Amino acid sequence: QVQLVESGGGLVQAGGSLRLSCEASDNIFNFGAMAWYRQAPGNQRELVARINDVGRINYADSAKGRFTISRDGGLNTMDLHMNDLKSEDTGVYYCNANVLSDNYWGQGTQVTVSS
Protein backbone atom coordinates (compact mmCIF):
# COMPACT_ATOMS: atom_id res chain seq x y z
CA GLN A 1 0.00 0.00 0.00
CA VAL A 2 1.54 3.27 -1.13
CA GLN A 3 1.09 6.30 1.07
CA LEU A 4 1.31 9.87 -0.22
CA VAL A 5 1.70 12.78 2.15
CA GLU A 6 1.31 16.37 0.99
CA SER A 7 2.79 19.39 2.70
CA GLY A 8 3.39 23.06 2.01
CA GLY A 9 -0.11 24.46 1.84
CA GLY A 10 -1.16 27.59 3.65
CA LEU A 11 -2.51 31.09 3.41
CA VAL A 12 -0.87 33.44 0.93
CA GLN A 13 -1.74 36.80 -0.60
CA ALA A 14 -2.55 37.09 -4.27
CA GLY A 15 0.63 37.34 -6.29
CA GLY A 16 2.56 35.25 -3.80
CA SER A 17 4.17 31.84 -4.11
CA LEU A 18 3.95 28.45 -2.47
CA ARG A 19 5.74 25.15 -2.90
CA LEU A 20 3.75 21.99 -2.35
CA SER A 21 5.51 18.70 -1.80
CA CYS A 22 4.25 15.13 -1.95
CA GLU A 23 6.32 12.46 -0.24
CA ALA A 24 5.77 8.86 -1.20
CA SER A 25 6.27 5.85 1.06
CA ASP A 26 7.76 3.84 -1.79
CA ASN A 27 10.40 4.30 -4.46
CA ILE A 28 8.82 6.53 -7.10
CA PHE A 29 11.05 5.03 -9.76
CA ASN A 30 8.41 2.28 -9.69
CA PHE A 31 5.60 4.77 -10.24
CA GLY A 32 3.93 5.74 -13.46
CA ALA A 33 2.43 9.16 -13.81
CA MET A 34 2.11 11.43 -10.80
CA ALA A 35 -0.09 14.47 -10.62
CA TRP A 36 -1.49 17.33 -8.59
CA TYR A 37 -5.22 17.88 -8.46
CA ARG A 38 -7.19 20.72 -6.91
CA GLN A 39 -10.68 20.79 -5.47
CA ALA A 40 -12.30 24.12 -4.71
CA PRO A 41 -15.40 24.31 -2.48
CA GLY A 42 -18.45 23.16 -4.40
CA ASN A 43 -16.40 22.08 -7.39
CA GLN A 44 -15.18 18.78 -8.73
CA ARG A 45 -11.58 17.74 -8.34
CA GLU A 46 -9.60 18.94 -11.33
CA LEU A 47 -6.16 18.21 -12.74
CA VAL A 48 -3.58 20.95 -12.19
CA ALA A 49 -0.38 19.33 -13.45
CA ARG A 50 0.85 15.86 -14.37
CA ILE A 51 4.30 14.36 -14.87
CA ASN A 52 4.85 10.87 -16.18
CA ASP A 53 7.68 8.43 -15.51
CA VAL A 54 9.82 9.80 -18.34
CA GLY A 55 9.29 13.42 -17.40
CA ARG A 56 6.57 14.38 -19.85
CA ILE A 57 4.53 17.18 -18.30
CA ASN A 58 1.03 18.50 -18.82
CA TYR A 59 -0.51 21.56 -17.19
CA ALA A 60 -4.05 22.79 -16.92
CA ASP A 61 -4.48 26.00 -18.88
CA SER A 62 -4.91 27.89 -15.61
CA ALA A 63 -1.51 26.67 -14.39
CA LYS A 64 0.56 27.26 -17.52
CA GLY A 65 3.30 29.82 -17.05
CA ARG A 66 2.78 30.03 -13.27
CA PHE A 67 3.17 26.51 -11.89
CA THR A 68 6.04 24.05 -12.23
CA ILE A 69 5.77 20.35 -11.44
CA SER A 70 8.78 18.15 -10.77
CA ARG A 71 9.61 14.76 -9.30
CA ASP A 72 12.74 13.59 -7.51
CA GLY A 73 13.41 9.87 -7.50
CA GLY A 74 16.19 10.22 -4.95
CA LEU A 75 13.90 11.85 -2.41
CA ASN A 76 10.72 10.06 -3.50
CA THR A 77 8.94 13.39 -3.78
CA MET A 78 6.92 15.35 -6.26
CA ASP A 79 6.74 19.12 -5.96
CA LEU A 80 4.52 21.85 -7.31
CA HIS A 81 5.99 25.32 -7.37
CA MET A 82 3.20 27.87 -7.64
CA ASN A 83 3.90 31.50 -8.51
CA ASP A 84 1.66 34.52 -9.03
CA LEU A 85 -1.11 32.87 -7.10
CA LYS A 86 -4.68 34.02 -7.68
CA SER A 87 -7.80 33.72 -5.58
CA GLU A 88 -9.13 31.11 -7.99
CA ASP A 89 -6.18 28.86 -7.06
CA THR A 90 -7.75 28.38 -3.63
CA GLY A 91 -8.64 24.80 -2.82
CA VAL A 92 -7.43 21.52 -1.43
CA TYR A 93 -4.49 20.17 -3.44
CA TYR A 94 -4.14 16.43 -3.73
CA CYS A 95 -1.19 14.32 -4.77
CA ASN A 96 -1.99 11.40 -7.08
CA ALA A 97 0.13 8.50 -8.26
CA ASN A 98 -0.36 5.58 -10.60
CA VAL A 99 1.49 2.49 -9.47
CA LEU A 100 1.07 -0.45 -11.83
CA SER A 101 -2.71 -0.94 -11.97
CA ASP A 102 -3.45 0.98 -8.77
CA ASN A 103 -4.19 4.64 -8.20
CA TYR A 104 -3.32 6.40 -4.95
CA TRP A 105 -4.28 9.72 -3.38
CA GLY A 106 -2.87 11.76 -0.55
CA GLN A 107 -5.02 13.37 2.12
CA GLY A 108 -4.72 16.83 0.61
CA THR A 109 -3.27 20.16 1.69
CA GLN A 110 -5.24 23.41 1.84
CA VAL A 111 -4.14 26.40 -0.21
CA THR A 112 -5.93 29.68 0.43
CA VAL A 113 -5.14 32.75 -1.64
CA SER A 114 -6.43 36.02 -0.27
CA SER A 115 -7.16 38.87 -2.63
Side-chain angles (χ1 to χ4, degrees):
Q1 184 79 3
V2 172
Q3 293 186 337
L4 303 171
V5 179
E6 301 97 335
S7 62
L11 174 64
V12 63
Q13 288 188 334
S17 299
L18 280 176
R19 179 176 68 91
L20 305 183
S21 187
C22 171
E23 184 172 3
S25 61
D26 203 350
N27 191 335
I28 68 169
F29 282 118
N30 300 321
F31 291 13
M34 300 181 72
W36 287 98
Y37 284 76
R38 172 176 68 211
Q39 187 165 20
N43 290 357
Q44 290 186 334
R45 196 171 295 188
E46 61 181 359
L47 177 68
V48 175
R50 179 179 181 272
I51 182 169
N52 72 5
D53 54 345
V54 295
R56 182 171 295 176
I57 292 172
N58 299 100
Y59 293 104
D61 286 344
S62 62
K64 289 178 181 176
R66 300 187 299 126
F67 294 4
T68 302
I69 188 172
S70 62
R71 58 193 281 174
D72 188 325
L75 297 176
N76 294 326
T77 58
M78 175 183 64
D79 287 354
L80 184 69
H81 291 256
M82 304 186 293
N83 297 317
D84 189 24
L85 283 161
K86 306 177 187 298
S87 57
E88 52 263 42
D89 295 318
T90 293
V92 179
Y93 283 70
Y94 296 91
C95 174
N96 174 267
N98 291 318
V99 185
L100 299 178
S101 59
D102 294 319
N103 190 258
Y104 296 93
W105 293 92
Q107 82 288 348
T109 185
Q110 176 70 44
V111 172
T112 302
V113 184
S114 63
S115 56

